[in-house]
Amino acid sequence: MKTHGTLFLLFSLIFFNCKSQKVIKSKDLRTFNIEKFQKHIDDKTNNKTAQEIEDKFISKFYEYKEKDTIINLSKVHQGFYREERFKENSVRKKIYTYYENTCSLANEGEYFLGMPIGVHKRYSKDGILIEEKNYDVNNDGILSIPQMIKIMKSKFKIDIEREDEIIFMETVKENARLVWRIVCKGHPERQIMHNYSYFFDAKTGQFINREKFTLEG
């Protein structure tokens, strides 16, 4: 099973903090394909990725591929089904959760290395949009992840949306200012002989410096 970030992602779409928005009846919402899921879970002989798992979070799991998209379907213990969709070699992942008793959409949102990006939404069992939050705006003036993606491409020609380019990124405090720290993998074929940490002012995007990064252990 391919994962990015920590296990909190299993529930971060079920409950995320945001202010209530205008109640809007949503049409044509996606639903969980329970027939496809259960069929492959039951047919374990022919489907090696179908598993029944005695885990703290997930009890059933099935993975398959559609063109260039990998799809994980799972049953979460707290009364939800879960769908993850991501491209090969991508650190972006779209996650949907569904109510177990209706298979209707409960939450949807996108993650980058386990961090929420873009608009996340929560729905009632009747398909009504009840909460919404945009993680790319109003973040205390800190540049968003999509903005940092553009800066890394522009300044260093590094695509940090690729799993073979980035190790992790985080905001840290240095000398009383917030800094984006982006740790990228080395590529000897491009004469990048080491893993490097790239530091930027988190509010202006100004490049500060680059340092070698050594993986511990």
Side-chain angles (χ1 to χ4, degrees):
M1 187 189 310
K2 178 179 176 179
T3 57
H4 295 305
T6 59
L7 287 174
F8 81 91
L9 279 182
L10 289 168
F11 300 102
S12 57
L13 268 176
I14 297 173
F15 303 106
F16 56 84
N17 295 321
C18 57
K19 294 182 180 180
S20 296
Q21 304 295 311
K22 193 185 300 181
V23 176
I24 304 170
K25 180 66 177 180
S26 300
K27 298 179 180 179
D28 301 321
L29 291 177
R30 64 195 300 129
T31 57
F32 187 74
N33 192 337
I34 185 62
E35 291 82 9
K36 183 182 183 75
F37 178 65
Q38 197 58 52
K39 174 185 175 182
H40 289 287
I41 288 295
D42 292 341
D43 186 12
K44 299 180 186 63
T45 302
N46 296 322
N47 296 285
K48 302 303 182 183
T49 60
Q51 304 174 41
E52 296 230 22
I53 307 169
E54 290 304 322
D55 181 81
K56 182 178 179 181
F57 299 102
I58 297 174
S59 62
K60 298 179 182 180
F61 170 80
Y62 169 58
E63 179 179 285
Y64 64 101
K65 189 174 180 181
E66 287 183 352
K67 295 182 179 178
D68 61 344
T69 301
I70 298 170
I71 302 167
N72 291 339
L73 302 179
S74 58
K75 184 177 183 300
V76 183
H77 284 304
Q78 267 65 16
F80 291 87
Y81 290 109
R82 177 181 170 89
E83 175 184 359
E84 301 180 7
R85 305 177 71 93
F86 52 90
K87 307 284 187 182
E88 289 190 52
N89 197 32
S90 173
V91 296
R92 283 181 178 264
K93 179 182 291 188
K94 291 184 178 179
I95 301 180
Y96 308 88
T97 58
Y98 305 85
Y99 295 105
E100 181 182 354
N101 57 347
T102 62
C103 292
S104 58
L105 186 62
N107 303 275
E108 61 179 331
E110 188 171 11
Y111 288 83
F112 179 97
L113 285 174
M115 296 178 285
I117 60 173
V119 178
H120 286 226
K121 298 178 182 181
R122 184 162 72 90
Y123 301 91
S124 72
K125 289 184 179 180
D126 298 320
I128 296 173
L129 176 64
I130 53 178
E131 292 187 40
E132 183 174 14
K133 181 173 181 177
N134 189 341
Y135 283 91
D136 294 345
V137 298
N138 300 324
N139 193 20
D140 297 325
I142 298 172
L143 292 177
S144 67
I145 291 172
Q147 288 173 311
M148 296 310 303
I149 291 171
K150 290 180 180 179
I151 289 173
M152 285 295 291
K153 284 182 180 178
S154 173
K155 189 166 186 66
F156 296 102
K157 294 183 171 52
I158 296 176
D159 184 358
I160 61 172
E161 295 179 279
R162 294 172 57 91
E163 192 174 45
D164 61 359
E165 292 286 0
I166 190 169
I167 299 174
F168 69 90
M169 65 185 293
E170 62 181 349
T171 53
V172 294
K173 201 164 188 179
E174 289 192 354
N175 300 322
R177 69 173 170 178
L178 278 173
V179 171
W180 266 118
R181 179 191 184 206
I182 302 175
V183 182
C184 294
K185 297 178 181 179
H187 283 275
E189 73 281 4
R190 301 203 307 260
Q191 283 70 55
I192 304 175
M193 307 308 295
H194 305 279
N195 300 328
Y196 281 99
S197 295
Y198 297 80
F199 296 89
F200 298 84
D201 186 297
K203 294 191 175 184
T204 67
Q206 180 183 359
F207 176 64
I208 301 171
N209 65 356
R210 185 182 78 164
E211 298 177 356
K212 288 182 184 179
F213 174 79
T214 303
L215 288 170
E216 295 181 0

